[in-house]
Amino acid sequence: MSKETDIMEYFDEILPNAACELNYSKDYELVIAVMLSAQTTDKSVNQVTAHLFKDFPTLKSLAEAKYEDIANEIRSLGLYQTKAK
């Protein structure tokens, strides 16, 4: 067996029902949620992203959003000013 297989089997043993706690429906939403999750809880990120992804339903609309609008959306998260950039 390879080291990779050993590691995967170990994780399957200690975390048999592991699942992502972040809510997302598109791959880019998961990437954004992970970036927002630094220094905060998944629960807080899920609350913020529910509104964020509703107000900016496409990656293009999010990319074109003003910094201030994003900052206001994620204000409840730690380091929100840096994350908004």
Side-chain angles (χ1 to χ4, degrees):
M1 274 196 212
S2 70
K3 288 183 182 184
E4 181 180 321
T5 303
D6 292 343
I7 292 169
M8 294 303 294
E9 286 178 1
Y10 173 73
F11 280 127
D12 284 340
E13 183 180 317
I14 63 170
L15 302 166
N17 298 314
C20 180
E21 296 294 326
L22 297 170
N23 297 332
Y24 67 97
S25 59
K26 300 171 188 139
D27 291 343
Y28 75 84
E29 291 178 352
L30 176 59
V31 172
I32 292 168
V34 169
M35 291 169 56
L36 294 175
S37 70
Q39 304 297 314
T40 194
T41 65
D42 290 348
K43 181 179 178 181
S44 296
V45 171
N46 286 336
Q47 290 172 340
V48 166
T49 56
H51 298 286
L52 181 69
F53 298 147
K54 181 180 177 192
D55 292 343
F56 302 97
T58 66
L59 188 54
K60 184 175 188 212
S61 65
L62 192 58
E64 293 174 347
K66 295 178 183 176
Y67 164 82
E68 295 81 14
D69 294 337
I70 300 298
N72 285 333
E73 291 273 350
I74 66 171
R75 183 174 298 279
S76 64
L77 301 177
L79 308 171
Y80 77 92
Q81 293 171 324
T82 302
K83 292 174 183 180
K85 292 177 185 178

